């Protein structure tokens, strides 16, 4: 049995009297891609925000590498190896690819107190990373993010997470507003991340995209996990849709 990388136990989240998460138990093992599905308002985004440090759970525990942790901020999550890539990629469009890849974690050269960025190293690493995530054409590291396509921006965000050795990469709707070729590129990057030793949580409305890359599917409904062991190899899209809508009361196997 694979070892859990992340485990969330009995997670509750209240916004006033509204309960967004209700006794959620969720786990991701090493080098596993988990698809997290559910209708709008099912609780997916709230669960991810708790795990990524954007919001704090009202109660419950988060265990990372077998140790109970207190994730109070996104900085805490990143320090624990949890990187979240949102739909808009959270990139600074006016800065270059290289600057975005190292934003806040720039390598320095010379005496540290001079705070001089090692631009040459940043460009070299950027080129290697872009090739690693499948961008075959030669894009200069100095290219501003604003001139990249949607798929290329997602690739940069994924490359950043992979480079800084994130154990878990969370992708929130990464294929929204992308063309067919770019979507396939992003899905390929997800597979590459797993093959490079990372785990991923993929949130997407398009179940067909999820089926192409995930090892396991978990479904949320009304703030609860209603299925967490759906095997895409032995389940149809229609069956998963039935679990999402509540047509099937329990998990399919």
């Amino acid at each position: 049995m694979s070892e859990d990388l992340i485990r969330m136990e009995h997670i509750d989240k209240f916004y006033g009297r509204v309960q967004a998460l209700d006794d959620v138990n969720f786990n991701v093992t090493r080098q596993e891609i988990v698809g997290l599905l559910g209708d709008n308002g099912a609780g997916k985004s709230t669960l991810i925000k708790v795990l990524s440090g954007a919001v704090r759970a009202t109660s419950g525990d988060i265990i990372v590498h077998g140790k109970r942790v207190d994730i109070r901020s996104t900085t805490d999550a990143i320090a624990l190896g949890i990187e979240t890539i949102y739909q808009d990629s959270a990139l600074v469009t006016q800065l270059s690819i290289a600057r975005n890849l190292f934003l806040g974690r720039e390598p320095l050269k010379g005496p540290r107190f001079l705070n001089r960025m090692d631009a040459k190293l940043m460009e070299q690493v950027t080129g290697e990373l872009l090739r690693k995530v499948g961008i075959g054409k030669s894009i200069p590291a100095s290219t501003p993010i604003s001139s990249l396509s949607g798929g290329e921006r997602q690739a940069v965000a994924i490359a950043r997470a992979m480079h800084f050795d994130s154990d878990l990469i969370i992708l929130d709707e990464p294929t929204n507003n992308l063309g067919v070729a770019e979507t396939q590129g992003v899905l390929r990057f997800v597979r590459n991340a797993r093959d490079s030793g990372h785990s991923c949580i993929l949130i997407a409305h398009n179940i067909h995209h999820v089926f192409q890359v995930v090892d396991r599917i978990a479904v949320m409904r009304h703030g609860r996990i209603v299925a967490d062991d759906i095997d895409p190899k032995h389940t149809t899209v229609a069956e998963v849709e039935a679990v999402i809508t509540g047509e099937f009361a329990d998990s399919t196997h």
Side-chain angles (χ1 to χ4, degrees):
M1 189 174 175
S2 298
E3 182 187 346
D4 282 343
L5 173 66
I6 305 281
R7 198 162 77 251
M8 305 176 79
E9 296 180 342
H10 307 296
I11 301 292
D12 290 326
K13 176 62 183 176
F14 286 88
Y15 291 101
R17 292 184 178 180
V18 177
Q19 187 167 14
L21 296 175
D22 182 5
D23 194 34
V24 171
N25 295 294
F26 179 68
N27 75 300
V28 181
T29 60
R30 294 175 190 277
Q31 278 187 275
E32 180 184 36
I33 303 177
V34 180
L36 184 60
L37 303 179
D39 272 337
N40 289 334
K44 306 183 303 295
S45 293
T46 305
L47 185 66
I48 290 315
K49 284 176 181 174
V50 168
L51 186 53
S52 64
V55 302
R56 295 201 70 188
T58 306
S59 61
D61 293 303
I62 300 175
I63 295 98
V64 180
H65 295 298
K67 294 181 180 177
R68 223 166 231 87
V69 297
D70 186 13
I71 303 178
R72 295 171 173 265
S73 66
T74 52
T75 306
D76 287 346
I78 290 168
L80 289 165
I82 302 168
E83 192 97 26
T84 305
I85 300 168
Y86 294 101
Q87 190 179 321
D88 59 4
S89 301
L91 299 173
V92 183
T93 54
Q94 63 267 38
L95 293 182
S96 69
I97 296 172
R99 286 298 309 276
N100 269 278
L101 278 172
F102 291 93
L103 201 58
R105 295 178 274 197
E106 292 86 354
L108 303 177
K109 66 177 181 179
R112 185 161 284 276
F113 68 88
L114 291 177
N115 214 29
R116 287 169 59 206
M117 285 188 299
D118 192 337
K120 190 174 180 181
L121 177 62
M122 287 167 63
E123 286 188 18
Q124 179 190 331
V125 172
T126 297
E128 291 170 1
L129 280 172
L130 293 182
R131 284 190 293 276
K132 189 174 179 181
V133 296
I135 295 184
K137 61 183 180 182
S138 182
I139 301 177
S142 58
T143 304
I145 292 292
S146 57
S147 65
L148 299 182
S149 69
E152 288 165 347
R153 293 185 192 197
Q154 292 289 36
V156 170
I158 293 169
R160 180 173 61 190
M162 289 172 69
H163 177 64
F164 286 104
D165 267 345
S166 306
D167 295 311
L168 177 68
I169 302 173
I170 303 168
L171 298 109
D172 189 4
E173 299 288 355
T175 59
N176 261 19
N177 306 316
L178 298 186
V180 175
E182 289 189 330
T183 293
Q184 289 306 315
V186 169
L187 297 178
R188 187 170 60 249
F189 306 148
V190 174
R191 292 188 201 99
N192 288 348
R194 175 182 55 196
D195 294 342
S196 301
H198 307 270
S199 297
C200 297
I201 297 173
L202 175 63
I203 301 172
H205 275 103
N206 191 315
I207 301 177
H208 295 277
H209 294 165
V210 174
F211 262 68
Q212 288 181 50
V213 293
V214 303
D215 302 303
R216 175 168 60 94
I217 293 171
V219 175
M220 294 191 72
R221 195 166 64 242
H222 305 311
R224 297 181 67 94
I225 296 276
V226 295
D228 68 354
D229 58 356
I230 299 175
D231 184 345
K233 294 184 181 70
H234 299 101
T235 313
T236 67
V237 169
E239 285 172 334
V240 174
E241 286 174 338
V243 176
I244 290 171
T245 60
E247 213 173 302
F248 285 0
D250 300 305
S251 165
T252 59
H253 296 274

